Amino acid sequence: MSVQKQKRVVVITGASAGVGRAAVREFARTGADVALIARGIDGLEGAKREVEEMGGRALVFPIDIADADAVERAAAETEEKLGPIDVWVNNAMNSVFSPVKKMTAEDYKRVTEVTYLGHVYGALSALKRMLPRNKGSIVFVGSALAYRGIPLQSAYCGAKHAIEGFYDSLRTELIHDKSKVKISMVQLPALNTTQFGFVKSRLPRKPRPMGTIFKPEVAAEAIEFASRHNRREIFVGFPTVKAIIGNKIAPWYADLVLAKTGIDGQMTDEPEDPNRKDNLWQPLPGDHGAHGPFVKESNSFSPVLWASMNKGTVLTTLAGLVAGGFILFSKLKKDSFHLG
């Protein structure tokens, strides 16, 4: 008699659009039941339909991730209706595209509460349930900008830096306690998500992702993989590796390059509408899905991510190549000796 494998219960914040929406689809494809947290009800209902179409159950929580009490209530209701939470994905974010000199205190406070404290509140609610059971997985959705700040996104970069610091502290405590709760941080590159039409902007031209752009499904694949493996960090895309490692080696050089290219590199040639609505304080109506407007420039595959996810195969292949090279070298050397 076969025993049916129990579905995983997954909570995803920022689930209505962008990376969160792509992650909803990725987890639903694996057969998970998903609790969806975001402010926009239209996008949440769209995500709920997608989960149900793939055979899963879904709960919708149209709440602000900056409200810790609301997050806790959502966690409690999820366990009551779907079962124990196996995976919590901290993904919700907000930002403001603006030079620092044009930012306000309210801008920084809001972005910090959503992007940084939203991760903290999610982690606290997840840990409250996972630690007593001594199992579960929390995925923190980070960015190359957690290590390397860039112009025009100071609030977002600061929040991502803060998440990295919180994550490091939590991970060391879990290791000290010998806890079996797994946590991982997925560091993302530039992605074609909805944020470039959502985020508040004070730029003269429309914002765009900087550098090489990837589809949000690439990030979603990494997030789902991280939920099942005890990896400290997962770097998505070579631009992420280059930004993080390069900044560790020569941050002064990154300063100069970004000062020269980082302003125009984050804007298209199209003028921005100064009256465009944004989602800093209220969600924008409609179901906007996962993708932004930069579809043609977006890559659907990351060799760096593939190598990370298949590091056993990569190491075996490299070992085989090294061994084969050694054997060939030995044979050539032997043949050369006999010829001499």
Side-chain angles (χ1 to χ4, degrees), residues 111-322:
V111 173
T112 302
E113 287 178 341
V114 173
T115 307
Y116 169 55
L117 291 179
H119 274 63
V120 173
Y121 298 155
L124 292 176
S125 287
L127 290 168
K128 180 178 178 179
R129 291 154 178 85
M130 293 177 180
L131 288 177
R133 295 193 287 261
N134 202 27
K135 65 177 182 178
S137 175
I138 305 173
V139 181
F140 293 77
V141 177
S143 169
L145 305 188
Y147 288 88
R148 173 66 238 186
I150 63 174
L152 305 181
Q153 294 197 56
S154 58
Y156 180 79
C157 292
K160 287 296 183 180
H161 273 66
I163 293 168
E164 178 67 34
F166 173 81
Y167 172 82
D168 290 345
S169 293
L170 174 58
R171 187 170 179 84
T172 56
E173 290 179 14
L174 291 173
I175 293 171
H176 173 269
D177 295 341
K178 297 181 173 56
S179 173
K180 293 183 179 180
V181 174
K182 300 190 296 291
I183 65 171
S184 182
M185 193 163 178
V186 179
Q187 311 294 13
L188 300 182
L191 297 165
N192 177 37
T193 65
T194 54
Q195 69 162 298
F196 299 96
F198 281 15
V199 167
K200 184 177 181 65
S201 176
R202 296 192 180 94
L203 306 182
R205 305 194 303 275
K206 290 184 178 180
R208 58 159 289 140
M210 185 174 176
T212 305
I213 306 171
F214 292 87
K215 293 181 178 179
E217 285 77 12
V218 177
E221 184 181 14
I223 291 167
E224 198 281 328
F225 179 84
S227 75
R228 293 183 286 106
H229 296 83
N230 194 24
R231 297 281 186 88
R232 188 183 194 282
E233 285 182 295
I234 296 177
F235 293 172
V236 180
F238 181 70
T240 300
V241 176
K242 183 172 67 172
I244 294 174
I245 303 301
N247 191 65
K248 289 180 181 293
I249 296 171
W252 58 268
Y253 181 71
D255 293 344
L256 296 176
V257 171
L258 287 166
K260 184 177 181 180
T261 65
I263 305 294
D264 285 339
Q266 293 186 76
M267 290 186 283
T268 70
D269 294 330
E270 298 179 64
E272 180 63 283
D273 177 3
N275 299 314
R276 174 177 67 81
K277 293 183 178 180
D278 62 72
N279 71 343
L280 185 61
W281 297 98
Q282 298 294 332
L284 295 177
D287 181 5
H288 303 274
H291 292 258
F294 306 97
V295 176
K296 292 182 180 179
E297 301 104 308
S298 301
N299 295 282
S300 58
F301 177 72
S302 164
V304 167
L305 176 60
W306 182 90
S308 177
M309 294 171 62
N310 297 275
K311 64 179 185 179
T313 301
V314 172
L315 291 174
T316 300
T317 302
L318 288 175
L321 291 172
V322 170

Side-chain angles (χ1 to χ4, degrees), residues 39 65 85 94 203 250 255:
R39 294 174 301 165
I65 196 68
I85 296 168
N94 213 322
L203 306 182
D255 293 344

